[in-house]
Amino acid sequence: MRVLRVPRRTPGALCALLLLTAPVSCTAARGDDAKPAAASAPLSPFERLLPAPASVVPEGLGYAFGAGTVVRTGGPGAPEEVRRVGELLAEQLRGPTGLPLPVVDGEGGEGGDGVRLRLDGGAGELGEEGYRLRTTPTGVTLTARTPAGLFHAGQTLRQLLPARGTGTVPGGTVTDTPRFAYRGAMIDVARHHFPVEQAKRYVDQLSQYKMNTLHVHLTDDQGWRIAVDSWPRLAEYGGGSEVGGGPGGSWSKDEYRDLVGYAADRYVTVVPEIDMPGHVNAAQASYGELTCDGRAPERYTGVKVGFSSLCVGKERTYEFIDDVLGELAALTPGPYLHIGGDEAHSTPAADYAAFMDRAQAVVARHGKKVMAWHQLASARPAPGAVLQYWGHDRTSAAEKAAVATAARAGHPLVLSPADHAYLDMKYDKQTKPGLAWAGYVPAPRAYSWNPGTYLPGVPESAVLGVEAPLWTETVSTRSDWELMAFPRLLSLAELAWSPAAALDWTAHRLRLAAQGPRLDAQDIAYYRAPEVPWP
Ligand code: TNX
């Protein structure tokens, strides 16, 4: 066995790297490294992997990609889906390598050289999304129990080749499974409208770092972005506004289906959100019957929150949410409908609880599970409802305790602490777009928290995962979106996937730096965070 070459680095980095190869115990050095980033020795391809894999055993010689390399997707009886994963991987590798990489139906085992995709129903240790990637001089074998695992293996393979050009995949075995099942990003397409193409681009970007959920915040005071056949003015009129007075826009059902299918091909589940009972001005501007006095307000293009509320005492309100959630459920293969429930400052607490009871029942009747912001914890979350925590260091102990109580009662938590995971917080005071109500979130801060121990009284087993929301009050262009998301999204992807023992900022910032050329090659407008030694 070849020993993993470890260039001179800090003890923390060394520790994290050792953990990749050996089950030693090690206290990772943590904390924000405010010093300017120094250049350091180049990382090996295994060390560059982001998210850091659970285990790497370097061994023997590698496999050189060349003009004759083929992608093999399994022998007779291999499911069509494996073929599809192979086709997609070949397409992803053709761009940077410039090789033809034909996909052949054939021996997916060790039988022929090249890249072999192998589904192994018996590999129980790899779970729902894990994989093994084994490289010898004759090829690279990707093994998983599920097609999703094969997809993730393919993303690892991409990172083991240069950002541009072809090369040799190093010899050895990567064995890798995720720490958390839910690894998400959220995009707010309500405050500013974005085309579906931009959301698909984000799916490409996040799935290569093994994130598996895209939460889409489809409605808010400033705009309604999804077509609803039974209430057509929602999109037609309510879609025609956005923050700042721009034209807005909305997605047809076909566009939305296209996004959902595109995401599914990359093993990303779309979680649609219709925010209620607050954040509904665009709906009420479209249909006056959704207010208590029956009068439609003007469309809204400012950035205030908490001023609108559905009329909790009116039956028409429940016909509305039944129609909307019914149509949305029919468009949603994933398990969750997110019903918001945040910042309902204009809905009295008793009304809020009564409304959320009925809204949750509607979700269940349409065969879906409820997801909601953590304010639902203080009302009556339905059995199994997933709560998304978006508090921060200054959130009151009582509010945190309500969430912890709900978690211990069996409500899975998705953690999006605003002062670490909110991609719309400015990096520092110089960042042009963004807000700062939860403080600045420089790159090390996005990374330096542990989802498994973050909330007092919440065991890691109650944490379903992590999500990075990008609110768009101040974000209206692709470049600002990418500036805010990258590199922090990569840090959250690693927190969500990698074993706790591998988390170490000093090592992580080198992995981030190593992603720079890949982000450049993909024309991603990332922020060159000064704490990261970008090449
Ligand atoms: C809080 S987080 C909100 C959003 C804003 C965001 C801005 C949450 C559930 N609600 O309405 O867009 O802050 O950072």
Side-chain angles (χ1 to χ4, degrees):
M1 185 179 113
R2 192 159 63 80
V3 175
L4 188 65
R5 189 174 51 81
V6 181
R8 239 178 332 113
R9 285 198 202 94
T10 65
L14 182 62
C15 186
L17 289 166
L18 286 174
L19 279 163
L20 296 180
T21 57
V24 293
S25 95
C26 195
T27 314
R30 289 187 157 275
D32 298 5
D33 190 348
K35 288 192 298 288
S40 50
L43 301 180
S44 78
F46 285 135
E47 294 167 329
R48 281 200 289 265
L49 289 172
L50 193 161
S55 149
V56 174
V57 180
E59 185 184 11
L61 296 175
Y63 172 71
F65 266 62
T69 299
V70 299
V71 175
R72 301 176 188 277
T73 58
E80 180 56 30
E81 201 177 342
V82 175
R83 167 91 195 189
R84 216 185 32 67
V85 173
E87 296 278 6
L88 182 55
L89 175 59
E91 189 185 309
Q92 290 177 327
L93 291 170
R94 280 179 202 128
T97 62
L99 297 172
L101 299 174
V103 180
V104 300
D105 261 332
E107 183 49 65
E110 300 288 337
D113 64 6
V115 179
R116 313 153 187 130
L117 274 64
R118 234 188 67 177
L119 215 49
D120 177 1
E125 75 283 2
L126 298 177
E128 288 303 309
E129 294 188 283
Y131 67 90
R132 189 175 317 109
L133 180 154
R134 184 161 176 270
T135 307
T136 68
T138 68
V140 184
T141 305
L142 314 181
T143 306
R145 207 172 63 76
T146 63
L150 288 177
F151 177 81
H152 296 317
Q155 303 315 300
T156 295
L157 175 56
R158 288 173 74 187
Q159 289 190 22
L160 290 172
L161 286 162
R164 286 179 220 261
T166 182
T168 296
V169 179
T173 304
V174 178
T175 310
D176 203 9
T177 53
R179 180 178 179 194
F180 294 106
Y182 185 114
R183 304 181 302 280
M186 188 211 81
I187 181 64
D188 168 11
V189 295
R191 268 53 177 273
H192 278 100
H193 169 67
F194 288 90
V196 157
E197 284 311 312
Q198 172 58 25
K200 287 164 70 176
R201 182 176 158 88
Y202 206 37
V203 166
D204 281 330
Q205 294 167 345
L206 58 93
S207 62
Q208 70 181 313
Y209 295 105
K210 303 188 174 71
M211 294 193 117
N212 65 0
T213 307
L214 179 68
H215 166 186
V216 189
H217 184 77
L218 287 165
T219 66
D220 214 302
D221 291 314
Q222 297 86 346
W224 185 286
R225 306 290 176 218
I226 180 78
V228 178
D229 297 334
S230 51
W231 295 71
R233 264 176 70 82
L234 291 170
E236 283 166 20
Y237 183 76
S241 52
E242 61 186 352
V243 168
S250 63
W251 295 347
S252 70
K253 284 191 168 178
D254 277 345
E255 286 177 308
Y256 186 74
R257 280 190 201 99
D258 179 41
L259 169 63
V260 169
Y262 189 86
D265 285 348
R266 287 148 186 82
Y267 298 91
V268 170
T269 301
V270 174
V271 176
E273 178 186 350
I274 303 291
D275 204 347
M276 57 181 92
H279 295 273
V280 292
N281 190 79
Q284 294 177 320
S286 309
Y287 290 96
E289 64 207 278
L290 295 176
T291 63
C292 284
D293 66 8
R295 283 215 299 271
E298 297 278 292
R299 290 187 295 200
Y300 181 68
T301 59
V303 297
K304 289 205 201 84
V305 298
F307 62 87
S308 62
S309 174
L310 287 171
C311 189
V312 172
K314 224 180 188 178
E315 265 329 281
R316 192 69 180 135
T317 296
Y318 302 97
E319 291 166 16
F320 167 74
I321 65 174
D322 191 44
D323 290 342
V324 168
L325 294 177
E327 290 193 32
L328 201 58
L331 291 170
T332 301
Y336 301 115
L337 295 188
H338 200 305
I339 54 172
D342 59 314
E343 297 173 325
H345 305 320
S346 304
T347 319
D351 282 2
Y352 175 83
F355 174 85
M356 293 305 272
D357 284 351
R358 291 190 66 174
Q360 293 180 87
V362 170
V363 171
R365 201 162 57 243
H366 291 295
K368 296 296 174 187
K369 292 188 191 160
V370 169
M371 197 164 162
W373 297 104
H374 77 255
Q375 277 67 28
L376 180 60
S378 307
R380 292 180 288 267
V386 174
L387 301 174
Q388 182 168 9
Y389 179 76
W390 62 282
H392 45 90
D393 284 355
R394 283 169 292 117
T395 295
S396 74
E399 191 170 335
K400 286 181 181 160
V403 176
T405 302
R408 288 196 303 269
H411 293 288
L413 296 188
V414 168
L415 299 180
S416 303
D419 52 356
H420 296 283
Y422 266 32
L423 300 178
D424 63 317
M425 291 301 122
K426 292 175 184 285
Y427 292 89
D428 59 32
K429 67 173 183 303
Q430 264 91 46
T431 315
K432 281 214 190 71
L435 304 173
W437 63 262
Y440 298 128
V441 181
R445 191 165 171 83
Y447 186 75
S448 300
W449 60 289
N450 181 350
T453 56
Y454 181 71
L455 267 183
V458 173
E460 176 158 340
S461 59
V463 178
L464 185 62
V466 173
E467 184 180 293
L470 176 57
W471 301 97
T472 59
E473 286 96 330
T474 63
V475 173
S476 61
T477 61
R478 162 163 94 77
S479 55
D480 279 353
W481 171 329
E482 292 178 359
L483 180 90
M484 299 309 275
F486 297 92
R488 294 180 293 194
L489 185 72
L490 276 57
S491 300
L492 292 150
E494 180 158 297
L495 289 184
W497 178 281
S498 302
L503 303 181
D504 171 70
W505 167 253
T506 313
H508 177 71
R509 72 188 192 117
L510 302 180
R511 288 194 283 280
L512 283 178
Q515 293 304 310
R518 277 170 211 284
L519 301 177
D520 285 331
Q522 294 174 32
D523 191 30
I524 296 176
Y526 64 101
Y527 173 58
R528 291 182 68 87
E531 304 88 347
V532 176
W534 304 105

